[in-house]
């Protein structure tokens, strides 16, 4: 049988109505099966993304909980070890998988918020006497929050500001024991973020570190190490935080594809219902799907979702080459990934919202998929909030415009760049915020151009 068939069979009985521990045990079982390895993100990225899409097909019935748990394990936790761990540390993933050990990814903090996760105030201070690190949350704002799988994880990749000899070296990753024998390691405190609208089978935790002793070997050391009490960069020009950010690229594609898959499944389920829902008409009973606006919506929804799916597959194909080679994506690919995240999620949200308005009381019923639409809200802010990505897209376009002075391209892009440049020249940098509508309009125009380049036949 093919991987797709085996994987569909493996996930067909996943449930979304379980406790944190029972839900986590479903992932432990999936891990032990070995169908998808923790190194497939590097070794077989096509399989990695396909597994995410197949699992997302069940999201209208399960909600976001298990899908998020799964991608945290395979992309954020294991993927970060792949990105910045040395060979010995990467080799540990095999034994973790065989043992069904779960990991969390402790990056986001309370003060920075999940939309600005790369701001890190948690500290990892090297103790020369003990040849180890002391992990601390120096303030309430430095506490980790919204850490998926934080109440059930055995291991953790913790992102902390590395300090050696009184000097800060910025955010680095540490692979550490989080629980031993089911009990938290000394000095770690964990609490629940609270009840959510959906996904309450997924544990989202806040984490506080108080003088947690971490072995020196925990530092993910592909690109750096501490030798004889001194910080050593192994590869000039490469900072670990930049490589940690690579997981955002794979995550953005996985999340965008999941959003599109969710929408496609919701449209399919709703269309099946309306095809079989008889409605009275003067000429005799007819299926609900014959209502003109609903029939037209289905046609446009299929077209838009298929178009953005094709675009995402084209971008994924280029990213897969980088993942196999552990190479940094080009500037053009990074932009396409950001556009894919924005267009994939926002198209899915728009299609599902329009569909909800057209099917009346059916959208209020349980087990229709509509009750799980906040899956898309999770997709919107995960791995880069849509608004923040659009800000970056617009700023990058403005930088290019200013650098080249006269730049060819879409006339609307040039018009908006000229408008924003004039506003900032006259009123200073504050004009960027004042002209926020033009900023987002510019980002939207750039997104449309990028989609057109990568997937010319797409009609979003």
């Amino acid at each position: 049988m093919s991987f797709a068939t085996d994987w569909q069979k493996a996930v067909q009985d996943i449930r979304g109505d379980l406790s944190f521990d029972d839900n986590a045990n479903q992932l432990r079982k999936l891990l032990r099966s070995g169908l998808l390895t923790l190194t497939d993100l590097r070794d077989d990225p096509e399989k990695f993304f396909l597994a995410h899409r197949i699992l997302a097909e069940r999201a209208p019935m399960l909600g976001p909980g298990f899908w998020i748990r799964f991608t945290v394990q395979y992309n954020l936790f294991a993927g970060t070890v792949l990105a910045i761990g040395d060979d010995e540390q990467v080799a540990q993933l095999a034994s973790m998988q065989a043992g069904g050990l779960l990991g969390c990814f402790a990056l986001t903090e309370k003060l920075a918020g999940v939309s600005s996760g790369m701001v890190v105030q948690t500290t990892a201070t090297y103790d020369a006497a003990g040849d180890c690190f002391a992990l601390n949350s120096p303030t309430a704002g430095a506490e980790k929050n919204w850490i998926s799988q934080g109440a059930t994880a055995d291991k953790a990749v913790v992102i902390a500001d590395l300090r050696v000899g009184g000097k800060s070296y910025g955010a680095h990753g540490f692979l550490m024991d989080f629980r031993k024998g089911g009990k938290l390691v000394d000095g770690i405190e964990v609490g629940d973020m609270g009840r959510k609208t959906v996904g309450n089978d997924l544990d989202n935790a806040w984490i506080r570190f108080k003088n947690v002793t971490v072995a020196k070997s925990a530092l993910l050391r592909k690109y750096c190490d501490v030798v004889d009490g001194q910080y050593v960069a192994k590869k000039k020009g490469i900072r670990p935080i930049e490589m940690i950010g690579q997981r955002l690229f794979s995550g953005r594609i996985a999340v965008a594809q999941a959003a599109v898959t969710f929408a496609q499944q919701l449209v399919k389920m709703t269309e099946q219902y309306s095809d079989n829902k008889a409605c009275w008409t003067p000429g005799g009973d007819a299926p609900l799907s014959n209502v003109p606006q609903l029939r037209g919506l289905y046609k446009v929804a299929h077209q838009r979702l298929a178009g953005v799916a094709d675009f995402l597959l084209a971008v994924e194909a280029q990213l897969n080459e980088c993942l196999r080679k552990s190479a940094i994506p080009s500037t053009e690919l990074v932009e396409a990934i950001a556009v894919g995240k924005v267009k994939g999620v926002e198209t899915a949200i728009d299609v599902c919202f329009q569909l909800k308005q057209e099917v009346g009381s059916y959208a209020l019923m349980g087990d229709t998929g509509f009750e799980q639409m906040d899956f898309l809200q999770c997709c919107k802010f995960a791995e880069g909030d849509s608004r923040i990505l659009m800000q970056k897209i617009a700023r990058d376009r403005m930088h290019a415009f200013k650098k080249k002075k006269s730049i060819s391209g879409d006339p609307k892009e040039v018009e908006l760049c000229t408008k924003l440049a004039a506003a900032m020249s006259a009123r200073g940098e504050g004009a960027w915020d004042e002209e926020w509508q033009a900023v987002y309009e510019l980002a939207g125009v750039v997104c449309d151009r990028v989609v057109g380049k990568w997937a010319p036949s797409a009609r979003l």
Side-chain angles (χ1 to χ4, degrees):
M1 289 191 291
S2 67
F3 168 75
T5 301
D6 290 341
W7 189 251
Q8 286 170 333
K9 183 177 180 180
V11 302
Q12 66 182 359
D13 295 325
I14 295 294
R15 292 172 54 183
D17 60 346
L18 302 175
S19 67
F20 294 160
D21 286 333
D22 288 340
N23 187 278
N25 285 336
Q26 295 181 123
L27 182 54
R28 295 183 193 279
K29 179 181 178 182
L30 203 57
L31 269 173
R32 292 190 189 101
S33 76
L35 283 172
L36 185 72
T37 73
L38 292 175
T39 58
D40 275 335
L41 174 60
R42 178 197 63 196
D43 301 334
D44 196 346
E46 289 83 3
K47 183 191 291 187
F48 168 87
F49 287 111
L50 176 59
H52 278 79
R53 293 196 298 274
I54 291 173
L55 190 55
E57 291 175 358
R58 302 215 55 222
M61 302 307 296
L62 298 179
F66 189 82
W67 191 92
I68 295 173
R69 186 185 296 282
F70 169 77
T71 199
V72 164
Q73 178 74 27
Y74 277 87
N75 184 58
L76 294 179
F77 172 73
T80 301
V81 177
L82 285 172
I84 60 173
D86 65 11
D87 291 345
E88 181 182 343
Q89 291 166 324
V90 170
Q92 293 178 36
L93 293 175
S95 59
M96 292 180 200
Q97 178 149 14
L101 299 182
L102 302 185
C104 63
F105 180 67
L107 169 61
T108 53
E109 298 180 353
K110 290 183 179 179
L111 182 63
V114 296
S115 294
S116 302
M118 301 307 271
V119 176
V120 176
Q121 295 184 331
T122 300
T123 59
T125 305
Y126 178 66
D127 177 2
D131 198 27
C132 60
F133 299 100
L135 202 61
N136 279 285
S137 305
T139 65
E143 294 171 4
K144 304 294 185 179
N145 72 337
W146 286 106
I147 306 304
S148 296
Q149 207 154 253
T152 53
D154 308 289
K155 301 282 186 176
V157 167
V158 178
I159 309 302
D161 177 14
L162 174 59
R163 298 182 178 184
V164 181
K167 181 179 178 180
S168 168
Y169 287 91
H172 284 65
F174 297 81
L175 175 61
M176 60 178 286
D177 288 324
F178 199 66
R179 289 180 174 81
K180 291 183 177 180
K183 295 183 178 180
L184 287 167
V185 168
D186 288 345
I188 299 177
E189 297 178 31
V190 169
D192 184 50
M193 292 299 297
R195 185 164 177 80
K196 307 177 288 285
T197 58
V198 291
N200 287 295
D201 52 328
L202 172 67
D203 40 312
N204 294 105
W206 57 260
I207 303 171
R208 181 184 301 127
F209 300 104
K210 288 187 175 181
N211 293 317
V212 179
T213 299
V214 179
K216 179 172 170 288
S217 60
L219 175 64
L220 289 166
R221 52 184 184 271
K222 182 176 183 178
Y223 297 103
C224 66
D225 204 347
V226 176
V227 180
D228 296 329
Q230 300 295 317
Y231 180 82
V232 177
K234 293 183 178 180
K235 293 190 179 181
K236 187 176 180 180
I238 296 182
R239 296 187 305 149
I241 189 63
E242 294 171 345
M243 303 310 295
I244 293 169
Q246 302 297 304
R247 290 292 67 79
L248 295 179
F249 299 147
S250 50
R252 284 168 187 167
I253 294 299
V255 168
Q257 289 181 333
V260 172
T261 301
F262 176 96
Q264 289 174 320
Q265 286 298 110
L266 186 62
V267 171
K268 178 182 177 181
M269 291 164 59
T270 306
E271 193 168 16
Q272 288 174 342
Y273 163 79
S274 62
D275 283 347
N276 293 284
K277 167 62 176 172
C279 295
W280 179 90
T281 73
D285 291 352
L288 179 61
S289 293
N290 280 10
V291 173
Q293 65 269 27
L294 191 54
R295 184 170 63 245
L297 178 56
Y298 286 141
K299 180 179 179 180
V300 172
H302 288 306
Q303 175 183 293
R304 294 180 68 193
L305 293 171
V308 75
D310 287 345
F311 167 61
L312 288 167
L313 284 173
V315 178
E316 181 210 312
Q318 292 294 316
L319 177 59
N320 288 342
E321 292 303 309
C322 295
L323 291 169
R324 266 189 287 270
K325 299 173 183 176
S326 296
I328 297 175
S330 66
T331 300
E332 181 183 18
L333 180 54
V334 169
E335 179 182 58
I337 291 169
V339 170
K341 173 64 165 53
V342 172
K343 296 299 286 187
V345 173
E346 298 303 327
T347 300
I349 289 173
D350 189 45
V351 165
C352 291
F353 179 79
Q354 288 188 50
L355 184 61
K356 187 176 183 180
Q357 308 314 303
E358 298 295 346
V359 293
S361 59
Y362 175 72
L364 296 175
M365 303 301 292
D367 300 325
T368 62
F370 286 100
E371 75 277 19
Q372 302 292 356
M373 274 181 58
D374 272 353
F375 177 92
L376 298 176
Q377 182 70 9
C378 297
C379 292
K380 186 180 179 74
F381 63 74
E383 322 302 14
D385 180 84
S386 292
R387 288 292 193 182
I388 290 176
L389 289 175
M390 291 179 77
Q391 282 276 341
K392 185 180 187 309
I393 290 167
R395 285 191 183 277
D396 287 347
R397 184 63 179 86
M398 279 299 298
H399 288 321
F401 176 79
K402 290 178 179 179
K403 184 177 180 180
K404 296 183 180 180
K405 303 299 181 182
S406 176
I407 186 169
S408 59
D410 187 295
K412 189 63 177 178
E413 283 185 49
V414 176
E415 175 189 332
L416 289 166
C417 286
T418 301
K419 176 182 178 179
L420 289 167
M424 289 190 288
S425 177
R427 307 198 303 271
E429 289 297 322
W432 183 264
D433 289 343
E434 296 166 3
E435 298 288 344
W436 63 270
Q437 290 173 307
V439 169
Y440 288 120
E441 185 179 0
L442 173 60
V445 174
V446 172
C447 285
D448 290 341
R449 171 174 55 78
V450 171
V451 172
K453 179 178 180 180
W454 286 74
S457 62
R459 298 291 180 269
L460 307 190

